[in-house]
Amino acid sequence: MFILKRPYLYLSVLALSLALVACQDSEKTATTNSTSAEEGESTNDNATSAETADIAIDGLGDHYHTGDTIELAAVLSEDADYDHWHWYTRESGQSEWEVESGQEGDTFSGEASVDGLEIKAALYNDNHEVFAESEPVTIVIDDHHGNDEESKQIYQGYFDDDQVADRELTDWEGDWQSVYPYLLNGDLDEVFAHKAEEGDMTAEEYKDYYTEGYVTDVERIVIDHGNVTFYKDGEEFSGDYEYDGYEILTYEKGNRGVRFIYKLAEKSNEMPQYIQFSDHIISPQKSSHFHLYWGDDREKLLEEVTHWPTYYPSNLDGDDIVRDQLAH
C-alpha cells in the first residue's frame, strides 16, 4: 500500500506547484497592466504600446513678446475616434511635466510669459492610455528692445545723448528680407487696421504712409563680416563698409532717432557710398529689424524721413512679421 501511495503524493505536490506559479504570473500581469493604465494618464515622457499615430504642433511662432497670445493646434496624422486631449508644459531646467488646466481640446491658448517653456500635446484612448503624443515645442520670448520702462522710452525716441554709443556692423549681420512684398500682397492689412483703432488715420491712410516708407527694389540684403550684398532684380551687388559715426536726429513730433552710418571702403559704381541704419536701438545690441537709407551724399541722406526701406530676418514669414509689428 505504501508503494502505491508515493506516486499519488508526488503528482499532488506537482499540481500544487503549477497552480502557485500560474497564480503568481496572473498577479504579475495584472500589476503590469494596472501600472501601464496609470502611466497612460500621467505626464510620462514615453509613449505606450497603444501609440499608433503622430501628432504635429501647428501655429508656433518664430518668437513671441512678453504678453503675446500663444495659439497652437495639435494635428493628428490619421483619423481617430478619441477626443481626450491633454496639454503639458515644462519650464527650462525642470524634469517633470505639468498638465495645463482647461486645455483639454486639440488647441492650446496661453500667454507668453516664460522664455524656453516647452509644450506638448497627448491624445488618450478610451482606456486612458496614450494613443499619440507630440514632440515638445519651445516658446522663445524676445522683447528685442527690452520690456522695462527705459527701453520702451528709447524705442519711442526719448533718450539722453550720453545713452548713445557706437555700434559695429555686426549688430546687423545676417540675411534680411524687405517687408515691402508683404505689404503688396495684403499680409500687413491687419497691422494697418490695428493702427487705425488707436491712431489718428484710417487703415487705408496708414497703408499709403507705409507704402511710401517701405517701397524698394532691393528685396534682400546679406551682411557678413563688413561686407554688404544687395539683391535686386535677380542680380547681386557687394561692397565692404567701415564705420563712419552716428548722427542724432530730432523729428517733428519731438522724439528723436539715431542713424548709424557706414561708408564704402573702396569706390564702387554699383553700391552706394553710404548706408545708414535706424532700428530704434541706440547702443550695441543685435538688431531684430531695421530701416535702411542709402546714397552717395551723407548729409542729404540724413534729411530723408519719408522713405525708409525696412528689413526683417529672411527666415520669418508673413505671420511672424505681423506678430512682431502688432507688438509695437
Side-chain angles (χ1 to χ4, degrees):
M1 294 295 291
F2 180 76
I3 297 175
L4 291 175
K5 288 181 178 179
R6 181 175 294 177
Y8 175 79
L9 178 60
Y10 175 79
L11 292 173
S12 298
V13 171
L14 179 61
L16 179 59
S17 298
L18 292 173
L20 288 173
V21 171
C23 182
Q24 290 174 347
D25 288 344
S26 176
E27 290 178 355
K28 183 178 179 181
T29 301
T31 301
T32 302
N33 290 340
S34 175
T35 301
S36 297
E38 291 173 0
E39 290 179 349
E41 188 62 23
S42 72
T43 59
N44 184 12
D45 286 342
N46 298 322
T48 72
S49 59
E51 184 176 1
T52 59
D54 296 321
I55 298 175
I57 303 297
D58 280 358
L60 180 69
D62 175 77
H63 70 274
Y64 297 86
H65 307 102
T66 300
D68 279 356
T69 298
I70 301 169
E71 299 281 359
L72 304 176
V75 181
L76 202 60
S77 63
E78 60 184 57
D79 293 334
D81 294 330
Y82 311 125
D83 58 2
H84 183 181
W85 290 89
H86 280 304
W87 291 81
Y88 299 97
T89 61
R90 181 173 66 182
E91 294 187 19
S92 178
Q94 291 183 336
S95 58
E96 299 297 325
W97 288 91
E98 295 184 3
V99 64
E100 285 295 301
S101 177
Q103 309 281 353
E104 298 178 356
D106 59 357
T107 59
F108 173 95
S109 180
E111 182 178 308
S113 59
V114 179
D115 184 39
L117 182 71
E118 291 183 288
I119 302 177
K120 68 177 181 178
L123 177 63
Y124 294 87
N125 63 21
D126 294 336
N127 294 322
H128 303 293
E129 298 171 328
V130 175
F131 174 74
E133 183 176 276
S134 74
E135 291 294 323
V137 296
T138 303
I139 302 301
V140 176
I141 295 180
D142 185 355
D143 289 321
H144 303 318
H145 316 295
N147 201 39
D148 59 281
E149 192 58 35
E150 180 179 288
S151 297
K152 291 179 180 178
Q153 289 295 313
I154 291 174
Y155 183 83
Q156 296 298 328
Y158 299 98
F159 52 83
D160 296 326
D161 288 1
D162 59 8
Q163 292 178 274
V164 182
D166 295 321
R167 297 172 67 185
E168 298 290 338
L169 191 56
T170 51
D171 277 1
W172 298 277
E173 197 162 90
D175 193 323
W176 306 88
Q177 61 176 324
S178 168
V179 73
Y180 185 53
Y182 295 103
L183 181 148
L184 292 179
N185 67 18
D187 282 355
L188 302 187
D189 288 352
E190 179 183 352
V191 176
F192 306 137
H194 176 73
K195 289 181 178 294
E197 293 174 358
E198 302 178 351
D200 54 4
M201 292 193 295
T202 66
E204 191 61 35
E205 287 171 333
Y206 274 112
K207 186 169 185 175
D208 291 341
Y209 171 75
Y210 280 90
T211 298
E212 182 179 7
Y214 287 161
V215 62
T216 182
D217 57 3
V218 178
E219 62 267 17
R220 179 185 172 205
I221 297 175
V222 174
I223 302 173
D224 182 31
H225 291 89
N227 182 265
V228 179
T229 302
F230 282 6
Y231 291 79
K232 174 182 175 182
D233 298 328
E235 296 186 89
E236 302 176 22
F237 308 99
S238 296
D240 293 328
Y241 284 83
E242 55 190 16
Y243 187 53
D244 195 44
Y246 64 78
E247 299 288 345
I248 300 175
L249 306 181
T250 301
Y251 306 126
E252 288 185 5
K253 293 182 179 180
N255 60 330
R256 303 193 299 168
V258 181
R259 298 272 185 93
F260 292 92
I261 305 168
Y262 294 82
K263 182 179 180 180
L264 193 63
E266 296 183 7
K267 185 172 178 58
S268 168
N269 294 326
E270 299 172 333
M271 293 296 289
Q273 186 71 15
Y274 294 95
I275 55 175
Q276 301 181 356
F277 292 87
S278 176
D279 57 3
H280 311 284
I281 301 173
I282 62 174
S283 58
Q285 182 180 328
K286 184 67 177 177
S287 187
S288 62
H289 74 272
F290 59 85
H291 312 295
L292 191 67
Y293 309 79
W294 60 83
D296 295 331
D297 189 322
R298 187 184 193 277
E299 299 305 315
K300 186 176 181 179
L301 202 55
L302 292 171
E303 299 174 3
E304 177 60 77
V305 293
T306 59
H307 179 222
W308 17 268
T310 301
Y311 295 85
Y312 278 79
S314 291
N315 64 338
L316 301 188
D317 61 18
D319 290 339
D320 294 324
I321 293 173
V322 168
R323 184 183 297 110
D324 188 272
Q325 295 201 350
L326 287 176
H328 298 104

